[in-house]
Amino acid sequence: MGIWGFALLNGLSVGAATFLVAAGLTLIFGILKILNFAHGVFFTVGAYITFSLIGAAPESTWAYIGASLLAGLVVGVIGWGTDLVVLRRLRSVDHSYTLIATFALLLVGTGLVKLTWGLSPQSVSPPPLLQDAWTIGTLVLPVYSLFLMAAAVVVYLALEALFTWSRIGKIINAVARDPWMAGLLGINVPAVMTGAVVVSFMLVGLAGGLMLANQSLTPELGNVYLLLAFNAVIVGGLGSVRGAFIAAFLLGMAESVVSVLLPGMPGIAIYLILIAFLLIRPQGLVHVEPA
Amino acid sequence: MKARLRRLAPPVFALLVLGVLASLPWWASSAVLYVAGLTLTAGLFALSWNLLFGYAGIASFGHAAFFSIGAYFTALALQHQWPLHFLVTLGAAALAGAVLACLLGALALTRLSGIHFAVLTLAVAEVVRALISASRTLGAEDGLSGLPRPDMAFGGWVLRLQSAAAYYLFLLAVCALAAAALWLLCHGRFGRVLNALRQDPDRTAFIGLDVRRYRIAAFTISGAVAALAGAVAAPWTQIVSPETAGWLHSAQPMLNTLLGGSGSFWGPLVGSVVNAVLTYSTRTLAGVSELVSGAILLVVILIAPSGIVGALSRRSSRPVAGERTAAAPTSAAAIEGGPA
Amino acid sequence: MSAALEVRGVGKNYGPLHVLREVDFTVGTGEIFAVIGPNGAGKTTLFRVLTGEAASNGGSVRLHGEDITRLTVAERVHRGVGRTFQVARIFPEFTALQNVAVAIEARRRFPGQPRARHWNWRPDPAVVAEARAQLDDLGLSSRTEVQARLLSHGDRKRLEFALMLSLRPSILMLDEPMAGTAADDRQTMAELILKVRRERQVTVVMTEHDMDVVFSLADRVMVLNYGQVIAVGEPQAVRRDDKVREVYLGREASHA
């Protein structure tokens, strides 16, 4: 497979991974108007929970997916608790305080992860079905990468369907645009907000589980993805799932292309694109109109 | 009489604290001394961050970029033994920070505000970190270690700072002087303007002040001081690594400032000390220090958003004229809904 | 009477939406000039173009003969523009005294001002004294140490006035100065505007909804509707103008 084919694949893989993390982040921003700094830590928690459930060498793909879903659920519950104890109290206060609170949660979460699972890196191999690669002509496609891409697409379509067609989605949109008005219309705004937090956490916990294999599991794992997710969310437009999807793949591809064109160059393409966007088009690709 | 005593209290207190800090090399263990030195630079770093956040109302999430520029510049100068007087090195490091901050500020502060500006600073810091990691001259991932501590010649007389005690005292002097300079700045007209700017930028324009210029100036000074903190920290730790520009390091001044309270000048220093004490006393078990720091910060946010200093000062009587009185969150403008 | 403010052909549009069209008028020095019109007529936009907060699409604004069309807000303030806002904007965390002091300190650094020789980090005692005098003049001497955000609505408006006056403006741009004030306070505010005009020889441009105030205070009135000037002149003449009556017919009942 040519170097470009490899770059393409790599870009799509990174894009998929980025979107899986970014989906929840942009969701929580759309509703609460905060960038959740703790998002990365909950990714890590999801990964560790999945690890605890299936061990270092899972046999069944379904078990792997199932464990990830379960981890997502657990993290969602943690999110619900977090909302109850911390975030809800800060709803009516300045956003800066909620931001700091999420940062504090990041610290608390990292500490708990280290205490529970220790510092030494763990390694999980993908279930046998996802281990090899399919060869189509000269293209070598690792199955695991395809799995993640499929997962990203599934999550995206599910979210799109939710927001565009379902009633719940429209309610969430209404609360995101104008909470006060939504409240006047009889929508239970606090419940929707809590719900959005829970869904956001579930998504990131699930992402942690799905992406567990093929990398070194450490307490710092989530931070790397958090930065990528921040990028995708800002470039895509804060609060837009569609924007995050496009941006995630765009950034992933950009990084790959740059690493082919300029091999010595460190991985800064993504950040340079982010900086360019911030200076030229800060509202991102898909601008979500506030009320 | 009482008023005069009250006016004298803070400077006397400050001198006392300075005295205690200066005495450390004689009675503290080397570990404690090391932490004290780190706390001093962390405190200066936090002060530089709060000049921006608490005074001008601008949040920077990538402040470690400036710190690391200062640190690496000094590291290079020491390791390759450039024929520069160490004070010149420090000055040049601070200047480097100032230049980057000025450029960034001029470019971004008019266009961006709030969260977008904050993320921009984060992105810039990441670029700096990535560039450092990729550079062989800068030691790449391993960084530069074994940095020698400098000698400084003054006329015929040479000041040798190789020993921990000697360099510590130099470090203390630099940090104290820088803090004093910042104090004068923040309590003078510049600080008052920044304060006004944070509260209501449009109103500030309507009293005839060039908001943009003041913001850029604040950012430049903040960058310079952060770089100075890094420059003076490098020979203390005797090692610099790309993580010095990393995101977690950028979060340190935020944590320290908010713990102590962004509404007062001394908050960042108080917060740095508290954080250092916490981290040091919980250093044995991995994960406990983050847990404790994070938990305390959470408690502070939920119960006393203006930090430790804020909570304490609410008990004292009327604020001194010129001192910021914010007990309620005022940094909203910094993050959300900054000026267009 | 020489012209303090000359506005020629000012237009403003947001894309296809024209908020102001070909607005032309002159305000003489020392005049009290009121801009009125129904909601959405463009009064606020016109105001913002005059103060420099919004850029016009075409046209020019001259202040005391000088073209200020391209100048920033701060630059216009240096040339004598003072402004109050519909909802009084002051510095909420500063005390009343600090509010005015910061304005005076700013004024002392306007271009053209003699270099203030003051090296202490604390405010110059001369500044503080002037601030106190300013607050006294506006009846706020009992409030000097009160944090601005704790002031009553009326006190805040007066503080904002004090802030504006400490900049020694030559033209006061008052955005709905009576907004939110009770009936008796309006009288006080009207008297204040007249007093200031008399004592400092300033020109006043104001937008307002309260017709009684407008007709008793203003020397001349300009009526805007859909971004265009439909009448300018002395209050009584404007009141009798057919076009104006047409615009306001049916609206007088809704004015509380």
Side-chain angles (χ1 to χ4, degrees):
Chain A
M1 176 161 91
I3 199 164
W4 284 107
F6 183 73
L8 175 72
L9 184 69
N10 197 42
L12 291 177
S13 299
V14 171
T18 307
F19 174 69
L20 284 171
V21 181
L25 191 64
T26 206
L27 189 66
I28 211 173
F29 184 88
I31 306 277
L32 296 185
K33 306 288 181 275
I34 52 158
L35 270 184
N36 181 11
F37 274 107
H39 203 67
V41 136
F42 291 102
F43 173 90
T44 313
V45 170
Y48 270 105
I49 290 178
T50 312
F51 169 66
S52 301
L53 288 173
I54 54 165
E59 283 300 319
S60 148
T61 312
W62 289 114
Y64 185 66
I65 296 177
S68 304
L69 285 169
L70 197 57
L73 236 86
V74 172
V75 174
V77 170
I78 297 177
W80 182 71
T82 309
D83 188 62
L84 204 63
V85 173
V86 178
L87 296 175
R88 198 176 290 186
R89 305 259 218 104
L90 299 171
R91 290 267 209 269
S92 50
V93 172
D94 294 334
H95 293 318
S96 50
Y97 283 81
T98 319
L99 262 170
I100 297 155
T102 63
F103 177 64
L105 285 172
L106 162 72
L107 290 174
V108 170
T110 309
L112 285 173
V113 165
K114 285 187 181 174
L115 283 173
T116 318
W117 285 287
L119 291 173
S120 26
Q122 308 284 354
S123 190
V124 172
S125 51
L129 256 177
L130 303 179
Q131 262 175 24
D132 298 316
W134 292 343
T135 323
I136 303 177
T138 52
L139 288 172
V140 178
L141 307 164
V143 181
Y144 189 63
S145 301
L146 294 174
F147 171 67
L148 284 182
M149 286 188 242
V153 173
V154 167
V155 168
Y156 172 64
L157 290 175
L159 287 174
E160 272 280 341
L162 179 72
F163 285 115
T164 323
W165 294 316
S166 80
R167 192 156 169 274
I168 294 183
K170 295 210 204 304
I171 292 178
I172 296 178
N173 267 330
V175 171
R177 296 257 176 123
D178 193 344
W180 183 73
M181 193 64 196
L184 281 183
L185 294 174
I187 296 177
N188 185 349
V189 173
V192 171
M193 286 189 165
T194 305
V197 171
V198 171
V199 169
S200 163
F201 275 66
M202 267 173 52
L203 281 173
V204 80
L206 174 67
L210 290 175
M211 286 163 59
L212 171 63
N214 265 357
Q215 63 188 334
S216 185
L217 178 61
T218 67
E220 316 289 328
L221 183 63
N223 293 342
V224 176
Y225 287 106
L226 181 65
L227 286 175
L228 290 176
F230 263 26
N231 283 0
V233 165
I234 301 254
V235 171
L238 290 163
S240 162
V241 170
R242 187 176 305 168
F245 188 70
I246 301 171
F249 282 100
L250 214 72
L251 289 171
M253 294 303 301
E255 188 62 47
S256 292
V257 166
V258 167
S259 64
V260 169
L261 290 174
L262 303 162
M265 220 40 212
I268 59 175
I270 289 186
Y271 292 104
L272 291 177
I273 294 180
L274 175 66
I275 292 173
F277 255 91
L278 282 171
L279 293 175
I280 301 169
R281 192 188 157 87
Q283 64 270 38
L285 290 170
V286 180
H287 183 38
V288 177
E289 276 294 337
Chain B
M1 188 59 214
K2 219 177 191 174
R4 181 175 292 179
L5 271 179
R6 185 182 283 164
R7 188 96 56 82
L8 282 177
V12 167
F13 184 69
L15 280 172
L16 270 173
V17 169
L18 210 58
V20 168
L21 285 173
S23 70
L24 277 181
W26 281 275
W27 52 268
S29 72
S30 57
V32 170
L33 190 68
Y34 185 68
V35 169
L38 283 181
T39 310
L40 284 173
T41 54
L44 189 62
F45 189 28
L47 276 179
S48 80
W49 189 81
N50 198 37
L51 176 69
L52 217 48
F53 183 70
Y55 281 86
I58 301 168
S60 161
F61 285 179
H63 231 53
F66 303 111
F67 188 98
S68 61
I69 285 176
Y72 266 88
F73 183 84
T74 312
L76 281 178
L78 289 174
Q79 200 169 59
H80 300 283
Q81 281 158 353
W82 294 350
L84 289 175
H85 194 281
F86 190 58
L87 289 180
V88 173
T89 310
L90 290 182
L95 190 64
V99 168
L100 176 67
C102 192
L103 282 173
L104 198 58
L107 206 56
L109 276 172
T110 22
R111 287 190 186 71
L112 299 175
S113 63
I115 200 114
H116 289 104
F117 182 76
V119 174
L120 178 74
T121 56
L122 184 66
V124 168
E126 277 303 303
V127 170
V128 169
R129 194 187 63 74
L131 287 173
I132 292 176
S133 290
S135 156
R136 209 89 53 77
T137 335
L138 297 176
E141 281 294 333
D142 299 318
L144 300 170
S145 56
L147 303 174
R149 292 193 181 132
D151 290 335
M152 292 194 290
F154 295 101
W157 165 59
V158 177
L159 189 62
R160 298 193 189 282
L161 297 175
Q162 276 72 38
S163 73
Y167 192 78
Y168 169 81
L169 289 173
F170 175 70
L171 181 70
L172 178 61
V174 170
C175 290
L177 283 171
L182 271 180
W183 190 94
L184 282 174
L185 197 67
C186 290
H187 287 81
R189 200 187 60 90
F190 188 71
R192 287 193 281 277
V193 172
L194 287 187
N195 232 315
L197 188 37
R198 177 180 53 83
Q199 293 174 57
D200 194 335
D202 290 334
R203 213 337 129 199
T204 310
F206 272 105
I207 56 176
L209 293 170
D210 188 340
V211 168
R212 180 172 176 262
R213 199 179 293 177
Y214 276 95
R215 283 210 172 112
I216 295 177
F219 197 50
T220 306
I221 296 172
S222 176
V225 175
L228 179 66
V232 88
W236 181 241
T237 57
Q238 296 185 293
I239 183 171
V240 289
S241 75
E243 281 319 302
T244 317
W247 173 50
L248 279 179
H249 193 218
S250 283
Q252 282 309 309
M254 285 166 57
L255 172 61
N256 291 339
T257 301
L258 293 155
L259 204 54
S262 64
S264 93
F265 181 79
W266 300 109
L269 289 177
V270 170
S272 300
V273 171
V274 170
N275 191 24
V277 168
L278 282 175
T279 315
Y280 186 69
S281 48
T282 56
R283 71 192 177 288
T284 41
L285 202 50
V288 178
S289 48
E290 281 122 323
L291 185 57
V292 174
S293 301
I296 295 206
L297 186 59
L298 259 184
V299 167
V300 163
I301 288 289
L302 292 175
I303 299 178
S306 43
I308 294 173
V309 175
L312 288 178
S313 68
R314 229 178 302 178
R315 291 223 226 98
S316 66
S317 53
R318 277 172 26 198
V320 178
E323 196 73 63
R324 283 166 35 250
T325 56
T330 56
S331 5
I335 305 285
E336 237 353 89
Chain C
M1 205 158 46
S2 57
L5 191 65
E6 280 175 72
V7 179
R8 295 279 172 270
V10 161
K12 177 74 187 165
N13 55 280
Y14 294 100
L17 180 66
H18 285 264
V19 184
L20 291 175
R21 297 167 202 265
E22 291 297 316
V23 174
D24 255 36
F25 64 95
T26 307
V27 180
T29 313
E31 259 199 310
I32 295 185
F33 189 84
V35 179
I36 63 176
N39 280 330
K43 303 191 296 296
T44 312
T45 311
L46 175 63
F47 226 68
R48 297 183 69 225
V49 167
L50 294 177
T51 58
E53 292 163 274
S56 63
N57 301 107
S60 72
V61 180
R62 302 183 84 88
L63 180 68
H64 302 304
E66 189 191 345
D67 191 337
I68 62 169
T69 324
R70 300 258 169 277
L71 295 185
T72 64
V73 166
E75 285 167 334
R76 294 188 200 204
V77 172
H78 296 164
R79 282 161 180 71
V81 174
R83 203 243 212 256
T84 62
F85 293 82
Q86 198 171 329
V87 177
R89 291 177 84 146
I90 37 72
F91 298 113
E93 289 166 37
F94 286 163
T95 63
L97 189 63
Q98 287 165 342
N99 261 274
V100 180
V102 88
I104 295 173
E105 275 187 324
R107 185 200 75 223
R108 290 185 355 152
R109 296 187 107 82
F110 281 3
Q113 292 287 319
R115 221 56 191 100
R117 301 181 137 278
H118 177 70
W119 297 111
N120 199 338
W121 70 89
R122 277 191 264 265
D124 190 342
V127 168
V128 177
E130 190 185 329
R132 277 191 204 281
Q134 188 70 259
L135 287 172
D136 255 351
D137 205 32
L138 278 135
L140 287 168
S141 43
S142 59
R143 299 270 181 276
T144 52
E145 301 303 330
V146 177
Q147 231 190 358
R149 65 193 174 95
L150 300 172
L151 290 175
S152 70
H153 178 76
D155 282 346
R156 262 198 226 199
K157 278 196 160 298
R158 280 191 283 171
L159 178 60
E160 201 192 21
F161 237 77
L163 259 188
M164 176 180 67
L165 293 176
S166 13
L167 300 168
R168 303 205 181 133
S170 57
I171 180 166
L172 309 184
M173 312 282 307
L174 309 178
D175 194 351
E176 300 206 26
M178 308 301 170
T181 45
D184 29 332
D185 280 335
R186 294 190 181 203
Q187 187 57 28
T188 320
M189 182 54 96
E191 279 167 15
L192 177 61
I193 295 175
L194 286 170
K195 173 175 122 124
V196 166
R197 193 261 298 260
R198 187 176 58 238
E199 288 175 358
R200 297 174 190 237
Q201 280 105 49
V202 293
T203 311
V204 178
V205 176
M206 54 188 260
T207 69
E208 195 37 76
H209 272 299
D210 184 331
M211 290 302 138
D212 295 333
V213 163
V214 168
F215 286 114
S216 65
L217 260 187
D219 295 321
R220 284 196 305 143
V221 173
M222 177 170 89
V223 183
L224 277 186
N225 194 28
Y226 292 118
Q228 287 183 299
V229 179
I230 59 172
V232 180
E234 287 182 23
Q236 293 310 319
V238 166
R239 194 174 231 166
R240 288 194 295 266
D241 187 302
D242 286 333
K243 285 180 288 185
V244 173
R245 295 181 80 86
E246 198 185 309
V247 163
Y248 275 98
L249 207 61
R251 294 194 80 89
E252 271 172 84
S254 63
H255 271 286

